[in-house]
Amino acid sequence: MNNMTPNREDYLKLILELGGDQIKISNKQIVSGLNISAASVSEMITKLVKEGLVEHTPYQGVQLTLAGLTSASALIRRHRLWEVFLVEHLNYTWNEVHDDAEVLEHVTSEKLAAQLEAYLHHPAYCPHGGVIPKENEPIQEIKRSTLTSYPIGTNIRIARVLDEKELLDYLVSLDLKIHEEYTIVEVADYEGPVTIQNDTKTLAVSYKAASTIFVDQL
Ligand SMILES: [Zn+2]
């Protein structure tokens, strides 16, 4: 997150990223995700409910309405299109794009987004493997299991990782990249590292990181 005061779109996007199109998200999760006070969160939730963007169930949390989902999708669309642009045309690496994409998404009209999309030849995915929603369409992220859900011996391809700076810096330090294929060779007990291997490298991925890396089984 940047240092600006989060606006309603940032709330909607975070709620979506936490899974709020399908499940209820607690105020507490939003407080830690946006790094702001519980009072500000309650205040904004009240506004979002009034505007029909989320539904609130006392003691359980909020869930996006279709209008909320569409609005969050539009922001994610702009964010991910800029990420593709920065990586493909300005030589950013996948751990560097977040902050600038975060700023650009807020100053991008739908016309600019549409032109950018055409210029980039209608990319389907961002550099982190996230789906780029089409104009005026709610996002449909592909449901996948994480690296922690498969046993030793499984062949996998890295399909998507959370767009989170610390995680991405860690993956760069390990030299793990999207679309690479590996075999799971060791899963340590008690949430220890998951070791993956291919012809060129062997990587021990921390359990925390492995639980945010989504894979395709080969
Ligand atoms: Zn991304």
Side-chain angles (χ1 to χ4, degrees):
M1 273 297 137
N2 52 49
N3 294 322
M4 290 184 292
T5 309
N7 64 21
R8 52 172 44 61
E9 289 175 311
D10 292 317
Y11 277 79
L12 296 174
K13 196 170 87 159
L14 177 72
I15 294 167
L16 178 57
E17 278 164 359
L18 293 169
D21 53 331
Q22 317 222 355
I23 55 168
K24 293 188 175 68
I25 306 302
S26 71
N27 284 25
K28 213 172 151 187
Q29 286 174 279
I30 300 170
V31 168
S32 44
L34 292 173
N35 211 2
I36 45 169
S37 73
S40 319
V41 171
S42 315
E43 198 181 306
M44 180 60 89
I45 295 298
T46 307
K47 277 188 205 163
L48 296 176
V49 169
K50 264 191 199 148
E51 292 167 12
L53 297 167
V54 300
E55 279 165 1
H56 182 249
T57 314
Y59 307 107
Q60 291 185 36
V62 293
Q63 195 165 348
L64 293 172
T65 61
L66 183 59
L69 176 61
T70 306
S71 176
S73 299
L75 199 61
I76 286 178
R77 166 178 160 77
R78 292 169 214 167
H79 184 97
R80 292 181 175 173
L81 285 170
W82 280 119
E83 286 184 339
V84 174
F85 178 81
L86 294 173
V87 167
E88 286 187 1
H89 294 282
L90 300 182
N91 299 319
Y92 280 57
T93 53
W94 73 334
N95 58 324
E96 289 174 335
V97 291
H98 187 84
D99 289 354
D100 285 324
E102 197 72 26
V103 174
L104 290 165
E105 71 188 23
H106 290 291
V107 293
T108 303
S109 65
E110 191 42 57
K111 179 187 162 78
L112 176 55
Q115 302 282 32
L116 184 59
E117 184 183 32
Y119 178 73
L120 297 169
H121 306 290
H122 304 275
Y125 302 99
C126 81
H128 312 103
V131 166
I132 300 178
K134 297 292 164 212
E135 189 172 349
N136 296 323
E137 281 179 22
I139 189 167
Q140 286 185 303
E141 202 69 79
I142 299 162
K143 303 284 173 237
R144 294 188 175 94
S145 299
T146 62
L147 182 54
T148 48
S149 24
Y150 293 100
I152 292 171
T154 313
N155 296 315
I156 55 100
R157 181 187 301 114
I158 309 297
R160 178 165 87 92
V161 305
L162 284 194
D163 178 9
E164 209 178 82
K165 181 88 174 85
E166 266 176 57
L167 169 71
L168 290 161
D169 287 343
Y170 173 70
L171 298 181
V172 167
S173 75
L174 283 182
D175 190 29
L176 182 140
K177 300 188 183 79
I178 198 139
H179 303 146
E180 287 180 334
E181 297 179 3
Y182 295 92
T183 304
I184 300 174
V185 292
E186 202 186 330
V187 179
D189 290 338
Y190 211 66
E191 300 192 351
V194 177
T195 306
I196 55 177
Q197 189 172 54
N198 61 23
D199 291 346
T200 54
K201 47 194 170 183
T202 302
L203 308 176
V205 183
S206 80
Y207 187 89
K208 190 180 174 195
S211 62
T212 60
I213 297 172
F214 298 88
V215 300
D216 286 327
Q217 189 174 355
L218 302 175

